[in-house]
Amino acid sequence: MVAEWQIATLAEKIPPQVLKQGSQVISRVLAEKANGLEMELDFGHQGQWLQVRARGEDADAFLNLLKQEYGEVRGFVAGAGRIGYGVYVDIGIQDPRPKDALYPLHRMRAQLVDGEPKSAREILDANALVDFVPLKMIVTELEGENISVELDDGARDNLVSWRKYPFDRVIVVGADRAFVENAVRASGLQNDVVKVESLSLFVQSVLCKIGTEAPGVIAKIGNRLRGVGLKSYRTPVKL
């Protein structure tokens, strides 16, 4: 008797840069995580949300592991800079049709710039919040079909903590961590980079060493990350 497929839809939104490269990128990332397990593995996407299928002896354990690592509810920035009264966040609503939530400007100001009257674009740029960056959000208001959200305490504290330390960052959208780490080594940037942190499966944060500026890292690494989104985060702390 053939085992039935088990399916898990993860809180992972696939950037278009990954979709353009075809299935091999996603296949490689999932295969690395499934190494040594007894099962068949497949995947698809609902909208741009990653859906993984598995069957076999280790399928249940594997999908549970993925759900623990990538299954918690979170949103992804959508249409950064497109509107002036906040930013839209995709929180995974697909039925009856896809619907983004609004992170309104007054809450962005309250949470991220201590109430200063900065524009949405200024706040997004200062925090390197580009499309597909993941954020844990909480729903604050439901009015008809309109949904308002704000950062949960952990997500806010994480973003605020970045500006307390003298480290620039490069946000990489559309590549897995192993690919970015290889690009760092191939570009000879080992002495300029502390580490590569995963914000999601396909969004990475390259933590620069003190004194290393993010635009300089982008200039050196860009040729090895063609077709991938790169955004500088500039720390306000100067030593």
Side-chain angles (χ1 to χ4, degrees):
M1 183 177 178
V2 179
E4 293 185 0
W5 287 101
Q6 299 183 55
I7 302 174
T9 300
L10 307 180
E12 282 290 337
K13 196 174 180 187
I14 308 171
Q17 296 95 328
V18 174
L19 293 174
K20 286 178 182 177
Q21 295 177 58
S23 61
Q24 65 271 19
V25 176
I26 303 173
S27 295
R28 175 172 52 78
V29 171
L30 292 176
E32 288 172 356
K33 293 185 174 296
N35 186 37
L37 299 181
E38 296 292 332
M39 63 181 186
E40 294 179 72
L41 182 61
D42 195 9
F43 67 90
H45 49 89
Q46 184 179 18
Q48 290 178 298
W49 294 81
L50 180 59
Q51 193 171 71
V52 180
R53 301 195 306 159
R55 66 182 177 187
E57 183 178 341
D58 296 322
D60 188 55
F62 176 69
L63 292 180
N64 283 335
L65 178 65
L66 287 182
K67 284 187 282 189
Q68 287 177 15
E69 193 168 355
Y70 303 107
E72 71 180 4
V73 178
R74 58 181 172 178
F76 290 78
V77 176
R82 195 174 69 203
I83 57 174
Y85 49 86
V87 65
Y88 285 114
V89 179
D90 186 346
I91 58 173
I93 296 174
Q94 297 292 318
D95 296 318
R97 61 183 181 277
K99 176 71 177 177
D100 293 337
L102 176 68
Y103 182 21
L105 178 57
H106 73 277
R107 293 307 300 154
M108 293 174 67
R109 287 171 172 168
Q111 290 192 299
L112 295 175
V113 291
D114 296 323
E116 293 182 31
K118 293 188 176 183
S119 70
R121 185 180 294 275
E122 287 174 320
I123 298 171
L124 294 169
D125 285 345
N127 291 278
L129 294 178
V130 293
D131 285 1
F132 293 93
V133 167
L135 296 169
K136 285 195 70 177
M137 312 296 293
I138 56 175
V139 175
T140 57
E141 186 177 350
L142 290 169
E143 185 175 343
E145 293 190 350
N146 297 322
I147 306 165
S148 296
V149 295
E150 64 181 48
L151 294 170
D152 83 348
D153 290 343
R156 177 192 176 278
D157 291 347
N158 183 57
L159 285 174
V160 170
S161 74
W162 286 10
R163 72 181 68 141
K164 295 179 180 178
Y165 300 101
F167 305 106
D168 276 12
R169 294 171 180 264
V170 176
I171 304 303
V172 182
V173 177
D176 64 280
R177 185 169 66 185
F179 188 82
V180 176
E181 288 173 339
N182 288 336
V184 168
R185 287 191 292 269
S187 302
L189 290 168
Q190 299 95 317
N191 294 328
D192 298 299
V193 170
V194 178
K195 60 181 176 179
V196 178
E197 300 173 330
S198 288
L199 303 183
S200 72
L201 267 176
F202 300 110
V203 179
Q204 317 304 322
S205 172
V206 179
L207 182 63
C208 303
K209 288 188 176 179
I210 294 174
T212 296
E213 297 185 346
V217 171
I218 290 176
K220 292 179 180 179
I221 206 173
N223 285 338
R224 299 186 184 277
L225 293 173
R226 291 184 183 277
V228 172
L230 300 171
K231 174 68 175 178
S232 296
Y233 170 82
R234 306 304 306 277
T235 176
V237 177
K238 302 299 178 185
L239 298 180

